[in-house]
């Protein structure tokens, strides 16, 4: 019996279809130090091809393109693809899922996923990446993680999390189990970068409203969340949001067995 066809989690399929305006307004990019690290360790540059899983509106892609690498984005959400096309002109984009890559064997030199890998069926995605990447290629997984040692940031998380339900989270580390099971990939190693995102109160609220399961709430519920977040934020015209940007790297073994 063939495996069940993968589908996009409802929170992502519906929430991110609705969230693009808030996503573009509120989501931070990534620190220069982390971007330079990725470009160096993934050996990105002219003549190289990098598959990006779930690129969304292109927040990371825009920062990698100046290296000269060719980005091939795999994005299943229509609204996100439209935003990516605006933000990354000339970038290649495919409407597909990470578990079924419509790419030929050995076509790419590297892969990345930013704020995304926890959404996927990890084992199936890793098997597909092992097929389309060349041996010794490197996969980079990136997350901006709010620094909850800051009290108001912790309070903001307390507003958000009761709405999560079954929506996957990178913080659970469940995504890591696929690497423990796969014989194709090395154990991912983490490097962390401090990142302070200077923004405005309105953009912080938009950042919260761009969360998939918050975007799916009723208008009244979203307004209530926005109001509670505004009460928590520091006063002033600008807000410094502290993050730790985690970059996890895993190498495709030269003798990988592709399931």
């Amino acid at each position: 019996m063939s495996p069940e066809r993968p589908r996009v989690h409802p929170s992502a399929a519906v929430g991110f279809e609705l969230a693009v305006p808030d996503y573009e307004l509120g989501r931070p990019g990534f620190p220069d130090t982390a971007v330079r690290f990725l470009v160096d360790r993934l050996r990105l540059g002219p003549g190289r091809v990098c598959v990006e899983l779930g690129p969304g509106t292109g927040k990371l892609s825009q920062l990698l393109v100046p290296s000269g690498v060719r980005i091939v984005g795999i994005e299943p959400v229509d609204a996100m693809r439209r935003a990516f096309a605006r933000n990354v002109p000339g970038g290649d984009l495919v409407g597909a899922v990470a578990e079924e890559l419509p790419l030929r064997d050995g076509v790419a030199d590297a892969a990345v996923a930013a704020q995304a890998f926890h959404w996927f069926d990890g084992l199936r995605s890793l098997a597909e990446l092992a097929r389309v990447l060349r041996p010794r290629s490197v996969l980079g997984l990136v997350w901006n993680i709010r620094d909850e040692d800051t009290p108001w940031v912790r309070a903001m998380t307390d507003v958000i999390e009761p709405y999560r339900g079954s929506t996957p989270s990178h913080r659970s580390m469940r995504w890591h189990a696929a690497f423990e099971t796969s014989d194709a990939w090395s154990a991912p190693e983490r490097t962390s970068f401090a990142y302070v995102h200077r923004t405005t109160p309105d953009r912080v609220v938009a950042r919260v409203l761009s969360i998939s399961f918050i975007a799916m709430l009723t208008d009244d519920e979203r307004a209530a969340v926005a109001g509670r977040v505004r009460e928590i934020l520091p006063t002033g015209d600008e807000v410094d949001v502290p993050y730790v940007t985690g970059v996890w790297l895993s190498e495709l073994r030269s003798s990988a067995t592709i399931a």
Side-chain angles (χ1 to χ4, degrees):
M1 180 181 296
S2 61
E4 181 182 355
R5 187 173 183 82
R7 66 188 186 94
V8 181
H9 190 284
S11 290
V14 177
F16 287 141
E17 189 70 29
L18 298 170
V20 166
D22 287 321
Y23 197 103
E24 298 227 65
L25 182 64
R27 296 265 175 158
F30 299 89
D32 291 343
T33 49
V35 173
R36 288 196 298 269
F37 179 76
L38 278 169
V39 169
D40 177 62
R41 295 295 298 274
L42 274 61
R43 303 183 296 279
L44 304 183
R48 303 272 288 177
V49 176
C50 180
V51 175
E52 184 172 2
L53 304 179
T57 66
K59 292 282 184 177
L60 179 61
S61 308
Q62 295 174 83
L63 303 176
L64 298 180
V65 163
S67 72
V69 71
R70 175 189 166 201
I71 298 288
V72 178
I74 306 297
E75 175 56 59
V77 179
D78 290 344
M80 290 287 183
R81 289 201 304 277
R82 290 192 292 272
F84 181 99
R86 292 193 302 270
N87 295 330
V88 191
D92 294 320
L93 190 60
V94 181
V97 293
E99 298 86 350
E100 288 185 355
L101 299 177
L103 304 173
R104 71 176 185 272
D105 295 359
V107 71
D109 305 287
V112 292
Q115 311 292 124
F117 194 80
H118 57 283
W119 288 105
F120 310 146
D121 179 321
L123 273 176
R124 293 178 71 172
S125 300
L126 290 180
E128 277 291 84
L129 287 174
R131 179 181 63 79
V132 304
L133 294 177
R134 299 182 179 97
R136 300 298 185 189
S137 295
V138 178
L139 165 64
L141 307 180
V142 188
W143 285 277
N144 283 328
I145 304 163
R146 293 187 301 275
D147 185 352
E148 294 182 349
D149 288 340
T150 303
W152 72 263
V153 176
R154 175 68 246 179
M156 189 168 67
T157 297
D158 290 342
V159 171
I160 296 166
E161 285 303 309
Y163 297 97
R164 176 174 295 278
S166 64
T167 301
S169 168
H170 69 278
R171 291 176 184 266
S172 73
M173 293 297 290
R174 291 176 185 166
W175 59 268
H176 197 277
F179 290 91
E180 298 167 6
T181 304
S182 173
D183 66 354
W185 293 92
S186 67
E189 297 183 0
R190 177 178 176 171
T191 303
S192 297
F193 302 87
Y195 178 31
V196 176
H197 180 223
R198 175 156 289 183
T199 185
T200 67
D202 285 346
R203 288 176 181 266
V204 175
V205 172
R207 168 65 184 92
V208 172
L209 296 179
S210 78
I211 296 170
S212 60
F213 55 86
I214 300 295
M216 295 173 64
L217 299 175
T218 66
D219 289 346
D220 287 347
E221 289 172 320
R222 283 166 49 81
V225 169
R228 292 179 65 193
V229 171
R230 289 188 185 279
E231 291 173 357
I232 289 165
L233 291 176
T235 58
D237 294 334
E238 292 188 327
V239 181
D240 285 342
V241 185
Y243 289 92
V244 175
T245 300
V247 179
W248 299 78
L249 298 183
S250 175
E251 185 178 79
L252 178 61
R253 297 186 173 104
S254 60
S255 58
T257 299
I258 302 172

